[in-house]
Amino acid sequence: MRPTAKDLAEAAGVSLATVDRVLNDRPFVSKTSSKKVNEAIERIGFIRNPAAVNLARNKTYRFLFMLPLAGDQYLRELLQRVDEAREALKSDLTLVDVEQIPVNDPHQVARYLSAIDSSRIDGVAIMAPESPQVRDAMARLLERGTKVVQFLSGQEKLENTDFVGVDNFAAGATAGKIIGRFLKHETGKIMVIAETMMAQDSIERRLGFDSIINSQFGHLKALPSLETYGDERRAETIIQRTLENNREIKAAYILSAEARIPVASIERCSDIRALTVVVHERTPFTEEALRGEKIDTIIAQDPGHAVRSALRIMRARTDLRTPLASQEKIRIEILLKENL
């Protein structure tokens, strides 16, 4: 049994009230009593339980999700899952809020993070493209005492933060393996489409994809990444030009989370069912496209699991506990028409 506060009071020769004041840095404790308690802590191996202290204090946890202002169906899925968590955790003294900002402007993201009051916010889950400005602002937020979770898209070389999401290199490699197997005996080119290649998840997926195509399927050539920036007109223009100038295209890999705009653009510009098409994330659009055989595979991660995982991690870090790694691992799901 771990030593209790009562055991600590007996070992230090002071009252339980004095132990409480020392452990919680409250006033009106003499230096002698404080020294006795701290020496007893070392002597009997007392371990403070922050979760129990927070419960006794009736502490309310305050967590924030910082998500993109602009998005499509997958963003709506994330917002719905956050809303569900907000309602479920109200009775658990946990307040969950969302702030949507233009995450493609790193300076604006950095200014927003710098303005967060660490005395009011215990943890922030941040979904933003990789940039030095955002990475530095997140590091300063950590220094001020707010816990930080990199949510679905991370910042390279940012220490002391947790990441919630799939292994994006593995997700890209999975897409490469699927397309390579589907086109095992066909020579051709692969069109690769992203919303932006500024995002760390897009970079990692492209690296994983190329690693498999280049090493295992030499008869296929992956073209340079096309960036749509979430703009329908731009997407249709660059996809149409790519298809016109590369008649040997046999497949399309859409590596960003929002697949609706690129898939719709491909369908308007060509016979999409003649291509092997792999996308990311399960949304109402990608489900319908998979059932209609306009796409072949969805590589997904559960948005509800991701939201709940981010909240559990922020709660654990606030309580000075280590999160349970096996519980927070987000699995890569491969969805076909047959297993929807």
Side-chain angles (χ1 to χ4, degrees):
M1 295 289 289
R2 289 194 308 181
T4 64
K6 183 178 180 181
D7 298 327
L8 180 59
E10 292 176 356
V14 298
S15 68
L16 193 58
T18 298
V19 166
D20 179 74
R21 285 195 288 270
V22 172
L23 292 178
N24 294 294
D25 296 320
R26 291 175 179 155
F28 311 117
V29 182
S30 68
K31 291 183 179 180
T32 300
S33 295
S34 180
K35 182 179 179 181
K36 286 181 179 179
V37 172
N38 286 314
E39 287 177 348
I41 287 173
E42 295 294 327
R43 190 166 63 251
I44 70 173
F46 176 82
I47 298 175
R48 190 168 181 262
N49 187 341
V53 172
N54 289 334
L55 183 63
R57 290 178 174 178
N58 210 29
K59 172 183 170 60
T60 297
Y61 297 86
R62 292 176 172 83
F63 300 129
L64 175 68
F65 282 85
M66 199 191 80
L67 300 178
L69 179 63
D72 200 5
Q73 292 189 353
Y74 190 64
L75 177 60
R76 289 201 291 271
E77 292 285 324
L78 290 173
L79 291 170
Q80 289 173 8
R81 302 293 88 77
V82 173
D83 283 342
E84 290 172 358
R86 177 192 291 121
E87 293 302 315
L89 293 174
K90 279 182 178 178
S91 60
D92 197 26
L93 298 177
T94 301
L95 300 180
V96 180
D97 205 354
V98 176
E99 188 72 33
Q100 292 183 256
I101 67 173
V103 296
N104 288 327
D105 182 348
H107 297 284
Q108 185 165 343
V109 176
R111 285 195 296 271
Y112 179 81
L113 293 176
S114 299
I116 289 177
D117 185 350
S118 293
S119 67
R120 297 172 59 87
I121 300 294
D122 296 301
V124 183
I126 303 168
M127 182 179 176
E130 199 274 341
S131 73
Q133 296 85 358
V134 174
R135 184 174 61 247
D136 292 346
M138 290 169 69
R140 290 192 293 270
L141 186 59
L142 277 167
E143 291 172 357
R144 299 200 301 273
T146 295
K147 310 308 175 186
V148 172
V149 169
Q150 300 183 75
F151 188 64
L152 304 184
S153 185
Q155 306 290 315
E156 191 177 15
K157 299 177 182 177
L158 181 60
E159 298 179 353
N160 301 320
T161 62
D162 296 282
F163 173 77
V164 167
V166 295
D167 179 332
N168 283 301
F169 186 93
T174 301
K177 177 72 80 171
I178 290 169
I179 288 177
R181 287 292 187 180
F182 271 54
L183 301 176
K184 190 171 183 179
H185 302 296
E186 293 189 54
T187 299
K189 298 179 180 179
I190 305 168
M191 182 167 53
V192 181
I193 306 168
E195 186 169 322
T196 174
M197 290 304 296
M198 286 179 59
Q200 188 67 21
D201 55 333
S202 294
I203 295 170
E204 292 172 354
R205 287 175 184 177
R206 178 74 210 229
L207 289 172
F209 182 77
D210 286 345
S211 72
I212 295 298
I213 295 298
N214 294 338
S215 65
Q216 299 183 22
F217 303 102
H219 59 289
L220 298 173
K221 178 182 178 182
L223 297 173
S225 301
L226 304 177
E227 295 180 285
T228 68
Y229 304 131
D231 182 272
E232 293 192 37
R233 182 176 296 178
R234 173 184 169 84
E236 186 160 341
T237 299
I238 60 176
I239 288 170
Q240 182 175 7
R241 288 176 180 171
T242 301
L243 289 167
E244 288 173 350
N245 294 323
N246 297 273
R247 297 294 182 181
E248 309 91 345
I249 288 177
K250 299 292 178 62
Y253 172 38
I254 301 167
L255 55 77
S256 52
E258 302 286 6
R260 183 185 63 83
I261 289 175
V263 169
S265 297
I266 294 171
E267 187 176 12
R268 286 192 293 269
C269 298
S270 69
D271 179 6
I272 195 169
R273 289 181 176 84
L275 301 176
T276 295
V277 182
V278 174
V279 307
H280 282 274
E281 310 314 348
R282 182 174 187 165
T283 66
F285 177 86
T286 57
E287 282 189 20
E288 182 181 353
L290 190 57
R291 289 193 175 96
E293 298 186 344
K294 297 176 183 179
I295 64 176
D296 297 280
T297 308
I298 302 171
I299 299 173
Q301 55 186 324
D302 184 341
H305 187 180
V307 168
R308 293 188 297 273
S309 179
L311 289 167
R312 285 192 297 264
I313 289 172
M314 289 188 285
R315 174 73 176 257
R317 296 300 187 193
T318 301
D319 289 340
L320 304 181
R321 294 183 288 108
T322 301
L324 183 59
S326 60
Q327 184 181 26
E328 312 313 343
K329 183 177 178 62
I330 309 297
R331 297 181 59 192
I332 297 172
E333 301 177 359
I334 301 173
L335 301 175
L336 306 173
K337 176 183 177 181
E338 289 73 20
N339 69 357
L340 267 178

